[in-house]
Amino acid sequence: MALTEQKSFCRVCGSACGIIVETDGQQVVKVRADEDHAVTAGYTCPKGRNLPGDHHREDRLERPMIREGDVFKPGTWDQVLDDLGGKLRRIIEEHGARAVGLFTGGGGYLDASGHLSWQAFKNGLDTPSVYSDLTIDSVAKLVVSELMTGFPGLMSRADIARAKLVLFIGTNPVISHGHTSTLSSPTASLRSMRERGTEVWVMDPRRTETAQRADRYIQTRPSTDYAVLAYLVRELLIDGADRTFIEAHTQGVGKLKTAVERFTLEHASAVSGTDPQDLRDLLASVRKAGRIGVETGTGITMSRPGNVTVWLSWALMLVTGSLDREGGAWFSPGNILQLDKMEVPPAPEEGWRAPGPESRPEMTAVGGEYPCAALPDEIAAGNLRAMVVFGGNIEVCLPETTRTYEALKQLEVMATFDVRPTRTTDASTHILPTKDQLERADLTYVTDTYFPVVSTQYTPAMIEPVGDRRAYWWILGQLGKRMGVDFFPGLDVDSATDDTVMAYILRDAELDFDELKAKRHHIGAPVFGWVEKYVEQIGGWRLAPSPLFGQLESFAAQEREEPARFTLIPRRQRYHENSKMLDLRDRPYVYLTQADAQAIGAAEGAPVRISNDTGSVERIAKFDETLRRGVINVPHGWSDEINVNRLTNTREVDSISGMVRYSGIPVSLQAV
Ligand SMILES: Nc1nc2c(c(=O)[nH]1)N[C@H]1C(S)=C(S)[C@@H](COP(=O)(O)OP(=O)(O)OC[C@H]3O[C@@H](n4cnc5c(=O)[nH]c(N)nc54)[C@H](O)[C@@H]3O)O[C@H]1N2
Ligand SMILES: Nc1nc2c(c(=O)[nH]1)N[C@H]1C(S)=C(S)[C@@H](COP(=O)(O)OP(=O)(O)OC[C@H]3O[C@@H](n4cnc5c(=O)[nH]c(N)nc54)[C@H](O)[C@@H]3O)O[C@H]1N2
Ligand code: SF4
Ligand SMILES: [Mo]
């Protein structure tokens, strides 16, 4: 048989690298980088190249199933959807729509029809019980955008092609390929940035792979970077700020000045545990650069001062006249999302506050979603009786695993879309096997605004789906018939194909589907100045919105406290993506410095118990001298007893967003 080669793009992570898929009939033989790809230009990582192995894995899900007691019974789609539709309908009749919740994770939003289906389900049922990775990942960015611009969901990204200085804080793109803004071929990108004369700075408690390729690195203590940013803003407001920009485009500079007043060099370096000379040098470099770009990641958004740190990173870019400006940072409007064409009333300075989950009165809904941390309480209170999981591994990714997993098992219905069995599917009542990425046509949809240029890609399916796997849109469309809900108004789900669904997603976009399908990739250059339209409506960028000002004030007391002896922070690894591809190469270690290990009498390769008030986890010790003393990594992705989320909790959440804390967790360590 002859090998066939087709172009596609990878969806293991949001970076959407161009790939060439070699197939022999229905056998996927090899995936390699597409040298001609306009953005990723011949780059892939080992996860993308592992797609053939992942597709042909032995334990894949191929049949729809219903659980009866402890066993899963395969059925036909008619049987499984009749049963599921009937049960969901009854629960809604008896308890209202809010009793049916939904969640989407990486197996949902990285599939265009998965994301469409999650939105369709939420809109079709009109349930407020909406959950996603947002409130266990990046919600700080949404909050800051809403408070500072009146418009939620604007994610800034450094103008890497022109900025004279780029500062990476709590993000390690060499491994992750970026947080809400991707850095394609990260090593090559960093190299060309430096060759063009961009100074690259990194702040992180770990000397990361990105830090090792930077000009300068500052090893901050976890959860304290905001102090460094506040110091920079304070000093720039005294000398070096872009007065013309501040005057013309911002409001609240006096309030910002008050907010950062306490962050003298001495205070900032004491709080962040850094050498004052490093901070002085950074300030000098920022002054010299003029405009700068700041990139933040999960090391920030998962920490207690997440909102405040993202805010001060924007404030720093505003006082230097860098935000929405060439040579600073920009916002991608996206070809599909078209953020620049939206007509939305601006949010007030306090932000939009919608009622939150009833069982957690201190929480509000943010971005139309309930915080994930509320899930176990909502189930215990009987408010939530069914969950439909759109490609999430919620046993692994949610906080306080023990309690959350027990709660999930109490649900009357849990229907999960996935391609392989997990502890989440184990706890489900209905399993809905979905087309994997090689089996479906797709678009870069949720990731529309993530790329280093304005970029949208289309791919056809590479092979036929195995077994009874179906597309999200088909499964949901058929379920809708059983529930009496038209989830996709204007789309005939009996005659539709993946392509007609892609065209349906693009129905309001200027981008024409047939054109995109023909050329596969639509690219535009970075665009500057368009966010001005939104901020002018509110009288300029809000430099110091009250809720953020309040949070910063509230940290003052804690700044004088002694840090915990051991602090856990998150870290992404090269060979797995959250809970995907764990079998490829990475092993579930606890990473710590040799000195810290010796201090507790642990040897490399020996088990160490990590514990706190929530729970405990045992892992094999691995020395890592890139970590700051007292800081440890217990990477996430693994389930059950070694799941790091046995150490995280559903109580200590952010007061504005309900975001869970996954960074800066005090723990104790014991050699076992
Ligand atoms: N302690 C701690 N917890 C964390 C984090 C952390 O750093 N530390 N990170 C958090 C973050 S940022 C995130 S985004 C979440 C991630 O949490 P999730 O989004 O739940 O995690 P993933 O493992 O990426 O994927 C979810 C599921 O999608 C399935 N899947 C893969 N491909 C497909 C497909 O094509 N179709 C379907 N239907 N399913 C598919 C996978 O088999 C997997 O079971 O975890 C969060 N949890
Ligand atoms: N290979 C791989 N790539 C991935 C993923 C994966 O699991 N594996 N996951 C994907 C997902 S879901 C996401 S959300 C993105 C996340 O993308 P990133 O946010 O870039 O994630 P990380 O690579 O973990 O980088 C976070 C960094 O924050 C640091 N950090 C932790 N706490 C603090 C702190 O308090 N201050 C500072 N300054 N730094 C801190 C950590 O040491 C780490 O280096 O990655 C995506 N890409
Ligand atoms: S960085 Fe790796 S996992 Fe992410 S899209 Fe590219 S090849 Fe796929
Ligand atoms: Mo994430």
Side-chain angles (χ1 to χ4, degrees), residues 105-354:
Y109 56 74
L110 291 172
D111 173 336
S113 116
H115 182 63
L116 174 77
S117 301
W118 176 76
Q119 285 179 318
F121 191 67
K122 151 179 110 169
N123 298 336
L125 295 191
D126 199 19
T127 170
S129 303
V130 180
Y131 300 88
S132 82
D133 279 342
L134 180 71
T135 54
I136 50 175
D137 181 346
S138 54
V139 65
K141 294 188 175 180
L142 189 130
V143 163
V144 167
S145 166
E146 180 184 303
L147 296 176
M148 294 183 81
T149 72
F151 187 93
L154 296 174
M155 308 287 173
S156 72
R157 53 172 314 132
D159 180 12
I160 54 166
R162 280 161 284 245
K164 297 218 177 66
L165 188 155
V166 177
L167 171 59
F168 294 92
I169 320 176
T171 179
N172 183 18
V174 170
I175 297 299
S176 71
H177 306 89
H179 184 213
T180 47
S181 53
T182 60
L183 191 67
S184 325
S185 3
T187 302
S189 294
L190 288 167
R191 196 184 312 120
S192 36
M193 282 163 75
R194 293 181 61 190
E195 278 166 10
R196 278 194 304 265
T198 305
E199 234 178 84
V200 176
W201 286 70
V202 172
M203 298 207 304
D204 198 301
R206 194 183 145 241
R207 182 182 284 274
T208 59
E209 293 73 4
T210 306
Q212 289 163 28
R213 289 163 176 82
D215 293 282
R216 291 289 297 267
Y217 165 62
I218 305 181
Q219 191 162 56
T220 46
R221 183 182 287 154
S223 312
T224 65
D225 313 85
Y226 74 93
V228 176
L229 295 171
Y231 156 75
L232 295 173
V233 170
R234 181 186 192 274
E235 296 305 315
L236 287 162
L237 286 176
I238 295 166
D239 174 24
D242 183 340
R243 301 267 161 216
T244 322
F245 184 93
I246 295 174
E247 196 112 313
H249 303 292
T250 71
Q251 55 183 311
V253 66
K255 201 165 154 199
L256 178 63
K257 219 171 171 166
T258 310
V260 298
E261 195 48 54
R262 70 177 184 273
F263 296 96
T264 58
L265 178 64
E266 297 67 38
H267 189 58
S269 75
V271 172
S272 60
T274 55
D275 182 345
Q277 191 55 46
D278 281 340
L279 305 195
R280 263 193 228 111
D281 291 352
L282 176 56
L283 175 64
S285 282
V286 171
R287 281 192 175 129
K288 192 168 117 225
R291 287 186 185 165
I292 61 164
V294 185
E295 291 279 318
T296 54
T298 48
I300 297 309
T301 58
M302 290 178 172
S303 70
R304 183 171 181 213
N307 304 332
V308 158
T309 314
V310 176
W311 159 41
L312 291 172
S313 77
W314 280 33
L316 176 62
M317 289 190 278
L318 286 167
V319 300
T320 51
S322 308
L323 209 46
D324 202 22
R325 290 290 184 273
E326 233 177 276
W330 65 291
F331 298 86
S332 177
N335 291 310
I336 306 178
L337 302 178
Q338 301 183 117
L339 300 179
D340 52 340
K341 298 202 172 61
M342 285 187 175
E343 296 291 336
V344 276
E349 179 166 342
E350 301 291 328
W352 281 307
R353 289 284 154 260

